[in-house]
Amino acid sequence: MVKDLLYGKKIVLGVTGCIAAYKSAYLIRDLVKRGAEVKVVMSPSATQFIAPLTLSTLSKNAVVVNIFPDTKNHNTNLNTWHIDLAQWSDLILIAPATVNTVAKIAYGFADNALTTLAAAARSTVVLAPAADVDMYENPATKENLAKLESLGYFIVEAEEGELASGLSGKGRLAELDKIIDSVELVLSGFEKDLKGKKILVTAGPTIEDIDPVRFIANRSSGKMGYALAKAAFLRGADVTLISGTSSEIAYQEINKLNVRSADEMKKAVDKELKKNDFLIMSAAVADYKPVKVSSKKMKKEKNLTEIKITKTTDILSSIKKENKIIVGFALETDNEIANAKKKLKEKQLDMIVLNSLKDKRSGFEFETNKVTLIKKSGKTIKLPLQSKFQIANKILDQLF
Ligand code: CTP
């Protein structure tokens, strides 16, 4: 079993007063499910949107709302709670963060329990802002968020969509999965170090039609490619994802292009590569396709016993590689290292990621994988079994 990166991690969740505050209940549930210990600090206005009792029940810890201890009951031993909590936490997540809280933290205000904690923070603070579109797009908010980012806060930007006001635009709290991926990213020691990089990723299988009903495909789920696209995006890169059929979901900001066949994927790669500096070809492109695609369903009574197939174009071998960093994948069952090195050389790659189907809990459909990275220089890095998201980050580390 691979230990979840969030297991045993101490997270303070700060909740502020906006309609998305109800989503903090789901955030706690998901963080706790993954083994994190969560303590909640709410701004007074957050309690208008969700009851502290809900969050204390889900987190199994008392919720802090008041900045001062309850002296009426002579409970005065809590007077440095903000320092204690700041020292206790591995990470502070403020989600949702209102524009008011964002502004206060940007200017060092400490006028309620949460802003006081933020001022005392020792660990990274991840901020997921949410507001109505005009408040979010307000230049003052933009400036405050940019300032916080330059101060080392990790910002998970709001998303576009329908807002509680009925307006539509940027301001929705980021999807919870993206917030939790950001928490994992930060706890793993990664930051937005890929800003300005343009990365093209391919993912999933290609499907080669035989007739309107049947096709040739493979078992690729797309999980590794999607993990690469997400990790690259969270680290600040501009990401384009060319995806074969997959049930994985990409973040809203990832420029996703859906393709079906190897031919379609080749066309898309040729077009998009011009705009990108890096290509990570994790798709399981079919090597063969039927010579002819029947426009009508092939009937059994025709006693068909063979389908004529022909090779697809090898995308990696055919692309123009000048001034690009190209990473390929190799899926091998025998002579793994030798075969991967052969592919690295023949396809003129900068690095190849060797996937072995021999390892338990790695390969198709699993959330985990065990890979070996082989670089053009000959440097070989054997990575232990870990989540595809963690592997994605290790691959990205080797690109620069
Ligand atoms: N690839 C490609 N175009 C193809 C087939 C594969 O660009 N038509 C890429 C894959 O995306 C991967 C790399 O080539 O990055 C290696 O793919 P793999 O299936 O391991 O190897 P093949 O070259 O197809 O050879 P074989 O199947 O015989 O091992």
Side-chain angles (χ1 to χ4, degrees):
M1 270 295 277
V2 182
K3 200 167 117 196
D4 192 312
L5 242 131
L6 298 189
Y7 188 83
K9 289 291 188 301
K10 298 183 177 84
I11 297 171
V12 172
L13 175 66
V15 184
T16 67
C18 87
I19 182 61
Y22 79 89
K23 294 183 183 168
S24 60
Y26 297 100
L27 269 177
I28 298 170
R29 186 196 58 186
D30 292 352
L31 291 168
V32 168
K33 228 191 244 170
R34 289 187 57 182
E37 188 175 349
V38 181
K39 292 188 178 178
V40 178
V41 179
M42 298 172 83
S43 71
S45 50
T47 63
Q48 299 285 323
F49 292 91
I50 187 159
L53 181 63
T54 309
L55 306 191
S56 62
T57 307
L58 290 169
S59 64
K60 300 184 182 75
N61 278 310
V63 169
V64 178
V65 181
N66 297 319
I67 188 164
F68 296 112
D70 180 9
T71 43
K72 250 193 278 165
N73 293 320
H74 309 291
N75 184 5
T76 52
N77 59 349
L78 291 170
N79 47 10
T80 60
W81 66 268
H82 57 299
I83 306 295
D84 299 342
L85 214 47
Q87 289 187 343
W88 173 84
S89 62
D90 295 314
L91 180 139
I92 297 172
L93 166 65
I94 306 182
T98 58
V99 296
N100 187 39
T101 296
V102 164
K104 287 197 278 190
I105 297 175
Y107 283 89
F109 281 78
D111 64 342
N112 65 27
L114 183 57
T115 49
T116 305
L117 173 72
R122 285 194 163 190
S123 49
T124 304
V125 179
V126 176
L127 274 164
D132 206 65
V133 55
D134 298 310
M135 292 167 83
Y136 194 78
E137 301 284 12
N138 187 310
T141 304
K142 284 189 175 169
E143 205 176 280
N144 291 335
L145 286 170
K147 179 179 176 189
L148 286 169
E149 189 155 85
S150 72
L151 292 174
Y153 289 75
F154 191 99
I155 312 294
V156 188
E157 283 229 32
E159 295 180 5
E160 305 254 353
E162 248 179 57
L163 302 164
S165 62
L167 294 176
S168 133
K170 199 167 178 181
R172 281 169 66 102
L173 180 70
E175 286 296 333
L176 302 189
D177 282 350
K178 194 205 276 171
I179 296 176
I180 292 179
D181 289 346
S182 304
V183 166
E184 178 174 343
L185 190 91
V186 171
L187 285 171
S188 317
F190 299 106
E191 48 188 326
K192 293 193 182 175
D193 56 345
L194 305 186
K195 276 200 167 163
K197 312 278 187 217
K198 291 181 187 309
I199 303 183
L200 178 61
V201 180
T202 67
T206 66
I207 288 183
E208 311 304 325
D209 288 322
I210 298 169
D211 70 11
V213 182
R214 300 146 181 131
F215 53 78
I216 303 171
N218 60 66
R219 290 178 54 199
S220 169
S221 62
K223 284 183 193 294
M224 192 62 237
Y226 277 67
L228 276 159
K230 288 178 178 183
F233 171 78
L234 292 181
R235 288 170 66 170
D238 189 343
V239 182
T240 300
L241 173 65
I242 299 174
S243 175
T245 308
S246 167
S247 56
E248 293 295 303
I249 298 169
Y251 303 146
Q252 186 186 74
E253 297 90 340
I254 292 173
N255 174 27
K256 188 182 154 198
L257 308 165
N258 294 319
V259 296
R260 184 169 172 87
S261 63
D263 288 345
E264 280 179 30
M265 187 168 278
K266 176 170 163 41
K267 255 188 221 149
V269 170
D270 285 345
K271 186 165 169 229
E272 297 301 319
L273 188 57
K274 292 180 195 124
K275 306 176 213 161
N276 286 277
D277 312 313
F278 301 86
L279 168 65
I280 308 179
M281 193 77 199
S282 74
V285 187
D287 291 327
Y288 295 96
K289 62 179 180 182
V291 171
K292 254 201 204 155
V293 183
S294 168
S295 61
K296 289 192 183 130
K297 187 180 175 194
M298 293 176 169
K299 298 299 286 175
K300 201 161 41 187
E301 52 264 27
K302 293 257 168 78
N303 287 327
L304 178 79
T305 52
E306 279 176 356
I307 297 169
K308 263 206 157 169
I309 55 173
T310 179
K311 271 191 178 167
T312 58
T313 308
D314 191 290
I315 302 174
L316 275 180
S317 302
S318 69
I319 51 170
K320 291 201 179 78
K321 302 189 178 75
E322 296 103 70
N323 304 321
K324 311 274 179 200
I325 303 283
I326 312 281
V327 178
F329 274 65
L331 181 67
E332 306 294 341
T333 52
D334 302 296
N335 301 324
E336 299 169 331
I337 297 274
N339 279 334
K341 282 187 170 165
K342 194 165 168 251
K343 280 179 192 167
L344 174 81
K345 205 166 165 218
E346 282 175 2
K347 302 194 187 204
Q348 297 169 294
L349 308 174
D350 295 284
M351 184 166 84
I352 195 151
V353 181
L354 167 63
N355 261 303
S356 169
L357 277 188
K358 280 185 184 161
D359 293 296
K360 275 191 195 147
R361 303 207 57 79
S362 71
F364 301 123
E365 290 140 31
F366 287 114
E367 295 297 337
T368 48
N369 211 0
K370 193 170 177 183
V371 303
T372 303
L373 312 182
I374 306 170
K375 299 183 82 169
K376 192 163 67 174
S377 63
K379 189 175 169 192
T380 300
I381 306 163
K382 256 189 163 189
L383 297 175
L385 187 72
Q386 55 198 302
S387 74
K388 288 184 175 170
F389 185 67
Q390 288 294 325
I391 290 186
N393 278 299
K394 310 275 159 52
I395 292 170
L396 293 170
D397 278 348
Q398 294 302 320
L399 295 185
F400 308 98

